[in-house]
Amino acid sequence: MNALLLVALGALLVFLIMTALWLLGIRNRNFSYVDIGWSGNFALLALLYAALAPGWDTRKWVIAAMYALWSIRLAGHLAKRIVGEPEEGRYVELRQRWAANLNAKFFGFFQLQAVLNVILALPLLIACLNPEPSLHVLEAAGVAIWLVGLIGESIADGQLAAFKRDASNHGRVCDVGLWRYSRHPNYFFEWTIWIGYAVFALASPWGWLALAMPALMLHFLINVTGVRATEEQALRSKGERYREYQQRTSMFVPLPASRKKQQRNID
């Protein structure tokens, strides 16, 4: 199956998933489901591309496993936080901001995430189209980088979840473990995962195109749905405590105490 047909099938699949989640969001008055859909869709695209692309089977299933394992872990983590809980603060804020034509605007938002699914799956597609019957050193390096990111993100998410489970921490800022060195270690290691995908794809024809994905993801993590939105909500809910945390802790890259002052100037 050629690349254009694969992309079309993938786009149709994620469009249908996001439409179903949008309808569920209307029904339950909780549009936070978009986060579960965005993260989980990559596992579906991984299975689709690995099953139907004409590349070498071993390479296809290695990159598919990388996407799927990360996708399923993140979707499961988000589902625990979202399903059965009130709508998350950033979506409550959007609900207020988009009060006029609310459902239509959220439909566009959900489908934008579907478009991003297809775009960000480019490293996966490129690797799955490669017929070369052997793995390259760049692909091994990509797996190693991806593994560091996956482990780091899992640890950061686990530390934050444990902090929130402790009732005595209500209203406090999580500054333990990795969160002592970065205000957003989960986002940093998320970005590391995307570097791993891009490095893996570099071994395939047209692999250089995949280098745009970590750059795009970095933009979204910092300026769009990640750091900026999270910090705005944290300042609304925690106020001065979070401002003090901002002053003493690196925004993104985990840094030791001796370099935090320099990083604050960069932030």
Side-chain angles (χ1 to χ4, degrees), residues 53-69:
W56 185 47
D57 280 347
T58 299
R59 175 178 295 103
K60 289 194 301 181
W61 289 108
V62 169
I63 187 69
M66 290 164 65
Y67 264 84
L69 288 172

Side-chain angles (χ1 to χ4, degrees), residues 188-220:
F188 170 76
F189 286 109
E190 171 80 7
W191 181 54
T192 304
I193 287 169
W194 289 93
I195 294 173
Y197 293 145
V199 171
F200 189 101
L202 276 176
S204 296
W206 298 94
W208 57 271
L209 292 172
L211 293 175
M213 299 309 108
L216 181 62
M217 180 57 64
L218 183 63
H219 168 65
F220 277 99

Side-chain angles (χ1 to χ4, degrees), residues 143-258:
V143 173
I145 294 169
W146 167 84
L147 188 59
V148 169
L150 185 69
I151 293 172
E153 186 178 38
S154 300
I155 291 172
D157 284 342
Q159 289 172 341
L160 180 60
F163 184 87
K164 289 182 175 180
R165 283 195 300 269
D166 187 341
S168 66
N169 291 326
H170 180 71
R172 295 177 57 198
V173 176
C174 179
D175 60 355
V176 298
L178 292 171
W179 300 84
R180 185 182 301 275
Y181 305 104
S182 168
R183 304 199 300 270
H184 305 279
N186 53 339
Y187 292 147
F188 170 76
F189 286 109
E190 171 80 7
W191 181 54
T192 304
I193 287 169
W194 289 93
I195 294 173
Y197 293 145
V199 171
F200 189 101
L202 276 176
S204 296
W206 298 94
W208 57 271
L209 292 172
L211 293 175
M213 299 309 108
L216 181 62
M217 180 57 64
L218 183 63
H219 168 65
F220 277 99
L221 286 173
I222 291 180
N223 299 317
V224 186
T225 60
V227 170
R228 177 175 295 179
T230 301
E231 297 219 329
E232 287 175 355
Q233 175 60 25
L235 287 169
R236 285 192 294 268
S237 61
K238 297 182 174 66
E240 191 59 32
R241 287 184 176 183
Y242 198 80
R243 289 188 183 90
E244 292 174 359
Y245 180 57
Q246 287 177 315
Q247 292 171 4
R248 68 176 186 268
T249 310
S250 167
M251 180 187 73
F252 190 66
V253 179
L255 293 176
S258 61

